[in-house]
Amino acid sequence: MAFLEQLFGYIGDFTWGWSLIPFLVVLGVMFTLVSGLVQFRFFGRMFGVLKPSTDPGAEGHISSREALLVSVGGRVGGGNIAGVAVAITLGGPGAVFWMWAIALIGMATSLFECSLAQLYKRAEPDGTFRGGPAQYIIHGLGKEFRWLAIVYAVCLIAAFALGFNAFQGNTVAGAAEDSLGVPRVWSGVVLAVLTGFVVYGGIKRIARAADVIIPIMAIGYLLMAFVVILLHLPSLPGVLWQIVANAVGIEEAVSGGIGAAVAQGLRRGLFSNEAGLGSAPNVAATAWVRHPVSQGIVQSLSVFIDTIVICSCTAFVILLGDVYVPGDEAVNGVALTQQSLASHVGAWSSYYLTAAILLFSFSSIIYNYYLGETALTVFTDNPMAGHILKVLIMGLVLLGAMAPEATSVFFFSDPMMGILALVNLVALTMLFPIGMRLLRDYREQLAQGVEHPALHVERYADLDIDREAWADAAK
């Protein structure tokens, strides 16, 4: 065990320590500049997906809106509540500025990876679609890169489906025990049963669950934060100045100064919004759309919601209060957010925040399961393998809930996510010309007055595209 912990520690240092974050930043900046600031040019189009679809072609399929909500449910989690608090504690208020910066360029990265996932998606016998980095590696780069897709799939199952779901079970049980006095075992049993009910319904039931859970949890949390902001509206300009001044080194809030602010902001921002990490494209590929870039634009909105909106609300709740003391690490993580919220609106808010954590964590569990299911198809399409994965995840959720001291067993999750992110970024770099080709096609159709651009598969005859998946796109 000591050897394995040391080995994965080295992997974590290599990926998250110095190679992954620079790679993500450089690639995001390149995508942004070469695409002509695509995430800003199409910003207005992102919000069209929030309306119910009236496109007859989408009937019976996962809608663009449902796919967005599933991915928001996966991105939005503990990182938006505890992660922001950690970033501010270790990096100062300036870390929030750098979280915003990495999200704005990450929107371009997410657009490209999700557009590619759509382009190379495959039609399933039940009428759904499946895709993601494993598919665009195999069908975009070629069969000789299948080994790279296998590495990606193994890491996706280990990190998200297994490790992170055990952590989510632990988070839910810990919050319920601390705030409500519910024994961990009962929290684990209830959560495992609910997880089984949703995941055995397939991606359509997962999408329907997300369509209910995500608006409730997001809107409720935002309303609470807006109340806090309104109560302290005169202090908001000072907080904004504090964030900017600390970010550029005019003021120093913690030891390490601007370096700590940049490091914590970039790392926590990337970890929260997942842009470029290769997880969200698996869900983006499930939607029925007329053109791959349409869903890429939608997934950019997911990054914006996660970091620019929800993470900012947590930051304002902390910085507008008096619980946070620059340089003091005695209160951090979710406790800092809880105590800050309580100082604004009262102790009852800790129960509200517990409920928010429960919803955030459950939405992440079903999202993580689907990522594992998609990765499993790289190895086998045997239905029994899917059943084994479902039972295993239910068991791990229960185990994670019951064993508060055992979460160190899942020390491999972050390093494995680092590896899959590097694999995805390598694939994105190699497939970037295809992404730009899609983007040019989309822009040309808009310039010709086409309100809803469509993919004409005959224009992509040189690519390994599943024609069945796009049979109705241009009708």
Side-chain angles (χ1 to χ4, degrees):
M1 183 60 71
F3 169 76
L4 288 176
E5 288 182 356
Q6 186 178 35
L7 174 63
F8 281 100
Y10 287 142
I11 294 173
D13 290 342
F14 171 74
T15 53
W16 289 104
W18 62 270
S19 64
L20 182 56
I21 291 178
F23 200 170
L24 280 163
V25 172
V26 170
L27 210 59
V29 171
M30 184 188 79
F31 288 171
T32 297
L33 296 179
V34 176
S35 66
L37 309 180
V38 63
Q39 67 270 49
F40 303 110
R41 287 175 176 266
F42 290 141
F43 188 74
R45 296 184 68 88
M46 296 178 189
F47 294 91
V49 73
L50 299 178
K51 298 181 294 185
S53 175
T54 57
D55 194 321
E59 187 175 348
H61 295 286
I62 302 298
S63 71
S64 188
R65 176 178 181 270
E66 288 172 327
L68 168 70
L69 291 175
V70 173
S71 64
V72 168
R75 295 181 200 263
V76 176
N80 300 79
I81 297 175
V84 175
V86 171
I88 292 174
T89 301
L90 300 180
V96 178
F97 176 89
W98 294 108
M99 290 182 73
W100 294 338
I102 197 62
L104 291 176
I105 64 169
M107 289 170 69
T109 307
S110 185
L111 187 149
F112 276 98
E113 65 178 347
C114 293
S115 296
L116 287 169
Q118 269 286 330
L119 177 67
Y120 290 105
K121 68 184 179 184
R122 318 318 271 185
E124 295 288 291
D126 63 356
T128 61
F129 304 115
R130 194 181 297 277
Q135 297 297 335
Y136 60 65
I137 288 172
I138 294 172
H139 299 286
L141 298 181
K143 294 295 195 322
E144 63 270 24
F145 286 93
R146 183 178 177 81
W147 65 271
L148 196 61
I150 291 173
V151 171
Y152 168 86
V154 168
C155 292
L156 189 65
I157 293 173
F160 284 86
L162 305 182
F164 289 154
N165 270 350
F167 281 128
Q168 296 294 350
N170 184 264
T171 300
V172 169
E177 183 179 49
D178 293 342
S179 298
L180 306 175
V182 178
R184 284 177 172 269
V185 62
W186 291 115
S187 297
V189 169
V190 171
L191 192 58
V193 170
L194 289 174
T195 299
F197 173 75
V198 175
V199 301
Y200 268 100
I203 182 58
K204 290 187 177 181
R205 185 175 293 172
I206 290 173
R208 286 196 296 269
D211 207 15
V212 175
I213 294 172
I214 307 311
I216 291 174
M217 76 176 189
I219 293 173
Y221 188 68
L222 292 176
L223 286 175
M224 180 70 76
F226 287 155
V227 168
V228 172
I229 293 170
L230 288 174
L231 289 173
H232 301 275
L233 198 57
S235 302
L236 187 59
V239 166
L240 292 172
W241 167 250
Q242 187 182 13
I243 289 171
V244 175
N246 183 227
V248 298
I250 298 175
E251 295 179 2
E252 183 171 315
V254 297
S255 59
I258 186 174
V262 173
Q264 288 298 320
L266 294 183
R267 180 164 184 168
R268 297 295 170 180
L270 289 169
F271 197 87
S272 175
N273 63 53
E274 299 182 17
L277 300 189
S279 49
N282 295 278
V283 175
T286 65
W288 186 95
V289 290
R290 293 197 175 277
H291 197 284
V293 174
S294 296
Q295 192 62 25
I297 293 171
V298 167
Q299 296 303 136
S300 285
L301 180 60
S302 178
V303 176
F304 183 86
I305 292 171
D306 174 272
T307 306
I308 305 298
V309 178
I310 298 180
C311 284
S312 296
C313 286
T314 301
F316 291 144
V317 166
I318 293 171
L319 296 174
L320 286 169
D322 53 10
V323 176
Y324 167 68
V325 178
D328 182 7
E329 299 180 16
V331 181
N332 58 46
V334 70
L336 177 56
T337 308
Q338 284 179 319
Q339 292 182 27
S340 297
L341 193 57
S343 72
H344 293 299
V345 297
W348 65 270
S349 62
S350 63
Y351 299 108
Y352 174 83
L353 198 58
T354 297
I357 291 172
L358 294 177
L359 290 175
F360 284 174
S361 297
F362 183 65
S363 66
S364 292
I365 286 171
I366 59 178
Y367 168 81
N368 292 340
Y369 159 73
Y370 183 71
L371 299 186
E373 180 188 273
T374 300
L376 193 64
T377 61
V378 175
F379 307 102
T380 178
D381 56 1
N382 189 326
M384 184 55 65
H387 290 306
I388 292 172
L389 180 64
K390 291 180 177 72
V391 172
L392 184 60
I393 287 175
M394 292 167 64
L396 281 170
V397 167
L398 178 60
L399 175 64
M402 293 173 58
E405 301 299 327
T407 51
S408 61
V409 173
F410 307 103
F411 57 87
F412 55 82
S413 298
D414 283 357
M416 295 295 270
M417 184 169 70
I419 294 174
L420 76 87
L422 285 177
V423 169
N424 182 55
L425 292 176
V426 168
L428 282 180
T429 303
M430 297 174 71
L431 290 171
F432 182 62
I434 303 297
M436 284 300 299
R437 181 175 167 186
L438 281 173
L439 186 57
R440 283 193 297 270
D441 179 34
Y442 189 84
R443 283 174 167 165
E444 287 171 1
Q445 292 189 48
L446 287 178
Q448 293 166 4
V450 179
E451 184 178 358
H452 300 291
L455 184 78
H456 299 271
V457 291
E458 64 274 10
R459 300 177 186 175
Y460 297 87
D462 56 314
L463 303 181
D464 183 10
I465 297 172
D466 183 358
R467 290 178 172 269
E468 183 181 348
W470 294 100
D472 298 327
K475 291 184 179 179

